[in-house]
Amino acid sequence: MKKVALVLSGGAALGFAHIGVIKVLKQNNIPIDIITGTSMGSLVGGVYAAGISVEEMENILENFQRKHIIDFNPFVLTDTGLLYGKKVTNLLKKMVGETKIEDCKIKYAAVAADLYTGNKYVFKKGDLVTAIRASISVPVVFKPVKYEHMCLIDGGACDNLPVEDARKMGADFVIAIDVCSEYQKPTKIKNPVDVIVSSANVLISNFVKKQVDKGDVYIKLKQPGVSMDKFSSEEVKKSVKYGEKYAKKFLPKIKDLLKQKEIL
């Protein structure tokens, strides 16, 4: 049986649009056999792969606020991140518990980058929460994740749209959702976090532009009025709506190509 993969890019708060995309694909019976993701894409994709429905995710995000993920590290000058990342970890555990990647309902992989070697590391087994926590570890913002002699940071540092990994996992057809290659001009640069976020945006947008394989359907999802670093419930809802809008726009093309490949 031919396999369909959904590849979800990183993009901080812009990545909530992935929820809207999944919602539309599910409503229209588009099969999702494999999910690969980077950073926020790994988070949304991993939670969904574990069996949490789009409706459940939307309910959780209904009253979402920055304070739910922000836990400042008072030892930042002598440590490796502005945030501990414990709140994010606890939030993920509430959602997926002790789920192992190999036990997910949908075949899944998350991308991170190892600071010690500079190489990409792809989680295809093991603790799901650890994989997501590593993949979302924006340098300096979150403490890196120490894992099997590696020091792992946000996968966007090496591969923000892991189409190649989806192919390696057996995908015959890839739907790639890119929320971050369109450079987002910062509204302000007033502190180190603003500099970090904007710098990452520059690097990632250029990485994806140079990528050869962008899937069978590549959706470059623009979100005017939504900022990468704003995590309020209102901003999240806007992003989800953009995801729905673009998924509906590309739905005829997706269905047509799937029929051509005799998948639908």
Side-chain angles (χ1 to χ4, degrees), residues 92-187:
L92 289 169
K93 284 184 177 178
K94 286 180 181 178
M95 296 172 79
V96 303
E98 303 297 323
T99 302
K100 299 290 184 186
I101 292 174
E102 50 266 47
D103 296 327
C104 283
K105 297 182 183 300
I106 298 173
K107 197 172 182 180
Y108 169 80
V111 174
D114 179 20
L115 282 180
Y116 291 145
T117 64
N119 295 330
K120 177 168 76 171
Y121 182 79
V122 183
F123 283 90
K124 294 182 181 178
K125 62 180 181 178
D127 183 59
L128 177 61
V129 171
T130 300
I132 295 172
R133 171 64 181 83
S135 187
I136 66 171
S137 297
V138 178
V140 185
V141 176
F142 283 110
K143 289 185 65 172
V145 171
K146 298 295 180 68
Y147 181 78
E148 293 186 356
H149 309 296
M150 293 181 286
C151 184
L152 298 174
I153 61 168
D154 193 303
C158 58
D159 189 352
N160 202 49
L161 193 67
V163 172
E164 182 182 338
D165 295 295
R167 301 281 190 202
K168 289 178 179 177
M169 291 168 70
D172 300 290
F173 188 89
V174 174
I175 303 169
I177 312 299
D178 171 18
V179 300
C180 199
S181 67
E182 183 73 21
Y183 180 68
Q184 187 180 52
K185 185 178 178 180
T187 55

Side-chain angles (χ1 to χ4, degrees), residues 48 162 261:
Y48 185 71
K261 288 184 173 283

